[in-house]
Amino acid sequence: MEPAEVALQQLHARAGDKFDKLFKTAHALAKHGRPFVDFAWQCKLDISKGIDIGNTYHNDESCVTFVNYIGEEYRQRLKKSFTDARFLSFMVVNATDSSIANQEIIYVRTATGKKVNTQFLSLEKADTSSIFNGTNKRFIDQVELAHGQWLKKLCGFGADGASVMPGCRAGFSGHIKGKKTEIHVTHCMAHRLELAAKDAANKVDYQHKIDRLLLNVYLFYHGSPLNRSLLKTAC
């Protein structure tokens, strides 16, 4: 191998190592919900620690570019996983965002090559039409699976029992069963056990007092961003 060729390979290796560090920083900011403008000072911090990240691509515009490439790589993995799988199933979990609005987190579970994979698909507003339309749009736009393709592969879904999920008419399960009757719906056993325990506890008088006390404490912070902020400061 010629010396010039060896030097060129070493140059590419060093450049690749620098980009690897920059991509990891961009990924960390995106994962933890930090503003992209933090990328510049994070790069300065890395340099002050003696980390070699080069002298370019240290601004928020570059961070956006890096995150877009990371997102595209993830999208391609989702596309391959969902395309290769013969069957799909959903797991839908209710959560609240920072504005205390109900959202549904949608995961897709596949089994390919004797390996089960669970991957995040979407975050949708907690109502039946938004969940279905948002999921369908994500499959079409991001994964490039048409409406009929992913619905044909769908064999069932599990939900936590939120009000928009299990209803056989107005719920998401009824909505999707109207399009594919053989889909199997599973109410999460852990959440069912929680409901059963709550029903049993309601028969104990002392439990009502504790429940009201905890509910009042919860509502005191739940409905007030100021109170939540003060609580975080106190902790």
Side-chain angles (χ1 to χ4, degrees):
M1 187 178 293
E2 296 295 329
E5 186 177 354
V6 174
L8 185 60
Q9 288 183 353
Q10 292 176 346
L11 179 63
H12 288 327
R14 288 196 297 270
D17 183 60
K18 293 175 184 178
F19 275 110
D20 179 67
K21 295 169 184 173
L22 292 172
F23 267 84
K24 287 179 178 177
T25 300
H27 177 267
L29 293 178
K31 183 176 181 179
H32 294 283
R34 300 298 305 166
F36 290 150
V37 291
D38 285 359
F39 187 74
W41 68 257
Q42 183 64 55
C43 289
K44 291 180 180 178
L45 178 62
D46 287 343
I47 293 173
S48 70
K49 291 186 291 187
I51 300 175
D52 185 10
I53 56 173
N55 299 313
T56 54
Y57 305 106
H58 296 177
N59 51 59
D60 55 320
E61 291 87 356
S62 297
C63 185
V64 173
T65 302
F66 295 151
V67 171
N68 285 337
Y69 277 117
I70 294 170
E72 177 61 21
E73 173 64 20
Y74 181 73
R75 187 185 74 83
Q76 291 296 335
R77 292 182 184 181
L78 283 181
K79 179 182 177 182
K80 185 178 187 309
S81 177
F82 296 165
T83 302
D84 293 346
R86 294 180 59 193
F87 302 102
L88 305 173
S89 65
F90 290 160
M91 291 196 303
V92 186
V93 181
N94 184 267
T96 54
D97 60 17
S98 58
S99 65
I100 319 299
N102 280 332
Q103 305 285 346
E104 295 292 339
I105 306 173
I106 302 173
Y107 298 94
V108 178
R109 174 164 284 188
T110 61
T112 307
K114 299 181 181 180
K115 184 179 180 181
V116 176
N117 299 300
T118 303
Q119 296 165 296
F120 171 79
L121 177 69
S122 184
L123 180 70
E124 302 296 340
K125 184 179 178 182
D127 64 71
T128 301
S129 60
S130 294
I131 295 170
F132 183 83
N133 293 334
T135 301
N136 187 49
K137 188 175 188 301
R138 181 60 63 94
F139 269 115
I140 294 173
D141 294 348
Q142 301 296 327
V143 190
E144 299 178 13
L145 277 180
H147 172 77
Q149 289 179 294
W150 71 262
L151 194 59
K152 183 179 179 180
K153 293 186 176 187
L154 186 64
C155 61
F157 77 92
D160 57 4
S163 58
V164 297
M165 285 290 119
C168 61
R169 294 182 180 177
F172 180 69
S173 62
H175 186 80
I176 204 149
K177 275 194 170 185
K179 300 179 181 298
K180 191 174 182 181
T181 56
E182 62 270 27
I183 288 178
H184 181 71
V185 180
T186 302
H187 185 177
C188 173
M189 293 301 297
H191 285 87
R192 293 182 71 177
L193 180 60
E194 178 189 11
L195 294 175
K198 185 176 181 180
D199 288 342
N202 283 337
K203 298 179 180 179
V204 181
D205 291 337
Y206 190 69
Q207 171 65 26
H208 290 289
K209 296 180 181 179
I210 298 176
D211 189 58
R212 284 195 297 270
L213 173 63
L214 295 177
L215 179 62
N216 288 333
V217 172
Y218 167 74
L219 292 176
F220 180 75
Y221 294 106
H222 177 81
S224 172
L226 175 60
N227 289 341
R228 292 198 305 276
S229 176
L230 292 174
L231 178 63
K232 290 180 180 179
T233 302
C235 293

